[in-house]
Amino acid sequence: MMKYKRSLIRFLLAAIMFVTGIMMLDNLLAGIFVLFVGLYALVSGILWLRVDRRPQGSEPVNLKRSRGKRK
């Protein structure tokens, strides 16, 4: 449970920001800003879960392989 504490905090923050953003939509600029902050918190929580699932000691795989020097 401790492993996912950061993601849970980010999901909670995202939920609070979405509710606040919807309530603030009468002031369009502030409401949209709060919704974007909530979206950032949600994406951040999801990405943090993916980092936590990675096995210890493994590094991300680089999909681009160098094909040698170009002249």
Side-chain angles (χ1 to χ4, degrees), residues 3-57:
K3 192 174 187 180
Y4 300 108
K5 187 175 181 179
R6 287 186 182 179
S7 288
L8 291 175
I9 291 171
R10 286 183 171 107
F11 289 140
L12 180 63
L13 175 65
I16 291 169
M17 296 304 277
F18 284 138
V19 170
T20 305
I22 290 171
M23 290 178 12
M24 289 179 65
L25 279 177
D26 56 342
N27 183 353
L28 190 61
L29 187 61
I32 290 174
F33 175 75
V34 172
L35 287 174
F36 275 118
V37 172
L39 181 65
Y40 171 78
L42 183 66
V43 169
S44 176
I46 291 169
L47 291 177
W48 192 259
L49 279 176
R50 293 190 63 173
V51 168
D52 278 348
R53 286 186 181 183
R54 189 178 310 151
Q56 292 292 339

